């Protein structure tokens, strides 16, 4: 064991065996799946604070069992399986929300560990394809494979990584851009093309082809802030994951690219005083980005059954399915977008944007954590930070970069935190945290669906956008999708035995009635993130769950798993959907996550209400700009990435003129 103590290993082994017991099927139990080995590896690759959280979770359940059993000597590691099963059920079915969420945390850990076994993946049919990276295409020719592989960033001059640093960094440039995701990479490229001296900083490492694995747990531990364990607090506990890798969120998202709704852009002008952002004014920036990023509709040849069934389900309930537009070229239908495309087909900014930026003379420094913006007499003069060792976050030396302008593109959580650490105390900075609350519904059919084949998200429907609801087909990591099937033990294994027949679809809602805030807490290793789901959004999620359930029944599902606390965990009749709509639910009873985040540095003409102006400059600080979705004063009405890139393109022009 690298991390787990002997007693912790015994505890995990017992819990894994309770969750996935030996039975008459050919599906491995917890011991055969080597659950303990996986958990130990996951903790080894997690950040120290998150590692401590997982260990505390294990101790919580172990100590709680002693109290529950009324036996001071009772321990989970040696207790009878029947007692442990009954004990865990009290957590899963508890009326106390925090207890249910703790159970979900433990269950998610065990699911990731179980699905981390090739034996399990093989038994469920997930490894049946000869080439998992190209399951829906004819054999990929060596020429095509070589072309796709060439998109992975090599080691060009101008790219600096952790091993290149000598203990400290001090540089000067015209503009330093913090964050290499869609907003950062695109503005950096435009400035470099205009002849400016630009340094692009990224807190995470570079992920190359050999680094990308089909494993959700390990991907999160390596390439997400807080090892992928970041959550909000408030009236709900939402997982909210921000990427920490060159290319940012574009590396680990589904590549969906849509223009903001005209009505949204009009509302930004009317309600916030935003100028220069009408549909017509943004059109040339959208056009330029769409051409550069290769945005196009998903090809029919890589849809696969899961996406085709979604389109059929839409039509069956009177909705119009639409092929999703994505920034990709050469998709092979491997359903691996959320791990980082292993084929090089998804044109995330590490593959389209950063290479061109370097070719234009820009410099990229990865593994650099920015602590604050240096501000002197109201003018931004650069950034201060430190070198961080990949995967450990060990401080490896100071960083100071002096510049004429600073662009914060560190994301909705870290951009306001950096501003707050820089001494900016305006209440608008970090307030107005907005999200698209989301949920997933799964259904099992008689026929094979093979949900792990086909484009990650091939179809969606925009028919309900006027009501603040968007429905999509979806695939992610097997363990993350399996959370919709409740329970543990033989019953869970029986459900998972039908995984190849399972369709998984998701919904997100507008977030118009929900809000939160982000705050830097001195001395804390993590920012404070609060978020409350409002009644209107909760009702939208409830209706979206009902519609997805109806769609699944319409395409032949025999079982539907809505995952709503207090209602039947499994629906077997279309009439059961009435119960979803009729239920008087609280936000804590609906399973939800955060699909997109925005709003913590909102644009607006009123500096008492907004953090930035229509030119993306931070109110009250000369030379400090923002280029990410934190600029959005409200939801864009659709997936936000394309609008962030269009605004970055616009900012590149603004800054080029000013400098």
């Amino acid at each position: 064991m690298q991390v787990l103590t002997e007693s912790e290993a015994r505890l995990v082994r017992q819990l894994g065996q309770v969750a996935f017991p030996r039975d008459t099927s050919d599906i491995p139990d917890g011991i055969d799946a080597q659950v303990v080995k996986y958990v130990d590896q996951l903790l080894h690759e997690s950040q120290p604070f998150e590692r401590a959280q997982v260990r505390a979770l294990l101790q919580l359940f172990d100590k709680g069992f002693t109290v529950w059993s009324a036996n001071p000597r009772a321990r989970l590691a040696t207790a009878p399986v029947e007692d442990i099963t009954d004990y865990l059920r009290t957590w899963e079915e508890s009326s106390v929300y925090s207890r249910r969420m703790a159970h979900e945390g433990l269950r998610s850990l065990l699911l990731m560990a179980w699905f981390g076994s090739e034996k399990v993946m093989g038994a469920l049919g997930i490894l049946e394809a000869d080439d998992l990276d190209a399951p829906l295409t004819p054999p990929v020719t060596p020429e095509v494979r070589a072309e796709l592989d060439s998109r992975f960033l090599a080691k060009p001059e101008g790219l600096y990584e952790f091993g290149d640093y000598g203990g400290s960094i001090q540089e000067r440039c015209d503009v330093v851009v913090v964050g290499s995701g869609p907003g950062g990479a695109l503005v950096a490229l435009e400035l470099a093309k205009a002849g400016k001296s630009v340094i692009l900083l990224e807190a995470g490492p570079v992920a190359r082809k050999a680094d990308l694995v089909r494993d959700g747990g390990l991907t999160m531990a390596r390439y997400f802030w807080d090892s992928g364990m970041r959550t909000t607090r408030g009236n709900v506990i939402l997982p909210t994951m921000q990427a920490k890798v060159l290319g940012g969120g574009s590396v680990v998202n589904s590549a969906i690219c849509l223009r903001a709704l005209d009505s949204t852009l009009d509302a930004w002008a009317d309600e916030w005083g935003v100028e220069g952002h009408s549909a017509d004014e943004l059109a040339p920036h959208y056009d330029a980005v769409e051409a550069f990023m290769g945005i196009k509709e998903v090809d029919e040849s890589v849809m696969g059954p899961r996406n085709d069934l979604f389109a059929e389900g839409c039509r069956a309930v009177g909705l119009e399915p639409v092929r999703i537009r994505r920034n990709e070229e050469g998709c092979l239908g491997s359903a691996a977008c959320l791990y980082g495309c292993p084929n090089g087909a998804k044109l995330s900014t590490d593959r389209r944007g950063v290479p061109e930026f370097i070719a234009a003379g820009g410099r990229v420094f990865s593994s650099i954590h920015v602590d604050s913006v240096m501000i002197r007499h109201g003018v931004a003069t650069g950034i201060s930070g430190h070198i961080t060792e990949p995967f450990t976050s060990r401080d490896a030396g100071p960083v100071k970069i002096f510049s004429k302008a600073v662009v914060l593109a560190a994301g909705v959580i870290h951009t306001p935190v950096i501003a707050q650490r820089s001494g900016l105390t305006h209440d608008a900075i970090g307030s107005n945290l907005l999200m698209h609350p989301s949920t997933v519904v799964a259904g099992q059919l008689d026929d094979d669906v093979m949900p792990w084949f086909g484009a990650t998200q091939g179809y969606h429907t925009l028919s309900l956008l006027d009501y603040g609801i968007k429905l999509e087909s979806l695939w992610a990591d097997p363990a993350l999708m399996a959370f919709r099937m409740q329970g543990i033990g033989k019953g869970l294994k029986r459900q998972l035995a039908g995984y190849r027949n399972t369709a998984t679809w998701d919904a997100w809602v507008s977030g118009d009635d929900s809000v939160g805030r982000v705050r830097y807490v001195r001395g804390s290793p993590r920012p404070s993130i609060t978020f409350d789901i409002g009644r209107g959004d909760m009702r939208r999620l409830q209706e979206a769950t009902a519609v997805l359930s109806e769609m699944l029944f319409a395409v032949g599902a025999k079982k539907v798993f809505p995952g709503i606390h207090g209602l039947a965990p499994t629906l077997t009749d279309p009439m059961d959907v009435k119960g979803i709509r009729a239920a008087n639910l609280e936000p804590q009873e609906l399973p939800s996550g955060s699909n997109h985040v925005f709003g913590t540095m909102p644009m607006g003409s009123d500096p008492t209400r907004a953090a930035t102006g229509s030119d993306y400059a931070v109110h009250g600080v000369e030379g400090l700009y923002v280029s990410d979705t934190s600029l959005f004063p409200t939801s864009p009405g659709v997936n936000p990435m394309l609008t962030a890139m269009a605004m970055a393109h616009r900012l590149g022009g603004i800054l080029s003129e000013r400098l």
Side-chain angles (χ1 to χ4, degrees), residues 283-296:
H285 304 290
Y286 277 126
D287 291 342
V289 169
E290 288 169 347
F292 175 68
M293 296 301 297
I295 295 171
K296 63 177 185 178

Side-chain angles (χ1 to χ4, degrees), residues 38 41-43 45-47 112 116 204-205 207-229 241-245 248-253 335-342 346 391 476-480:
Y38 182 97
Q41 181 185 1
L42 183 67
L43 293 182
E45 302 208 17
S46 296
Q47 298 293 307
M112 284 190 290
R208 296 183 169 88
K209 185 177 178 66
D211 302 318
L212 302 177
V213 295
R214 284 177 165 270
D215 188 298
L218 296 181
T219 297
M220 290 189 293
R222 294 169 182 169
Y223 300 122
F224 284 81
W225 285 94
D226 304 347
S227 302
M229 300 181 200
M241 296 181 286
Q242 285 75 48
K244 187 181 181 183
V245 62
S250 68
V251 174
V252 289
N253 67 12
C337 287
L338 304 184
Y339 309 102
C341 178
K346 181 170 64 171
F391 314 128
D477 179 79
L480 298 180

Side-chain angles (χ1 to χ4, degrees), residues 359-499:
R363 290 178 288 168
V364 176
F365 292 178
S366 65
S367 299
I368 304 298
H369 186 284
V370 173
D371 295 314
S372 62
V373 178
M374 296 184 290
I375 301 174
R376 182 177 177 83
H377 303 306
V379 178
T381 60
I383 64 90
S384 176
H386 59 274
I387 303 166
T388 61
E389 184 178 41
F391 314 128
T392 70
S393 292
R394 179 181 65 87
D395 187 335
V399 176
K400 283 192 182 297
I401 299 178
F402 298 92
S403 61
K404 299 175 183 176
V406 176
V407 177
L408 295 179
V412 174
I413 305 301
H414 290 279
T415 286
V417 165
I418 292 171
Q420 291 165 2
R421 286 200 302 246
S422 305
L424 303 182
T425 59
H426 193 302
D427 190 59
I429 295 175
S431 299
N432 195 52
L433 172 64
L434 305 172
M435 300 184 184
H436 286 154
S438 61
T439 193
V440 175
V441 179
Q444 285 188 347
L445 291 74
D446 286 335
D447 298 328
D448 281 353
V449 176
M450 309 294 273
W452 43 84
F453 289 170
T456 300
Q457 295 191 273
Y459 279 108
H460 56 190
T461 179
L462 310 179
S463 301
L464 300 177
L465 280 186
D466 286 346
Y467 302 97
I469 296 173
K470 184 167 181 277
L471 311 179
E472 307 166 331
S473 179
L474 174 68
W475 178 249
D477 179 79
L480 298 180
M481 293 290 92
F483 84 99
R484 183 53 66 242
M485 301 173 186
Q486 297 180 1
I488 59 171
K490 293 182 179 180
L492 177 60
K493 283 187 71 177
R494 281 194 298 271
Q495 292 181 64
L496 294 174
Y499 215 178

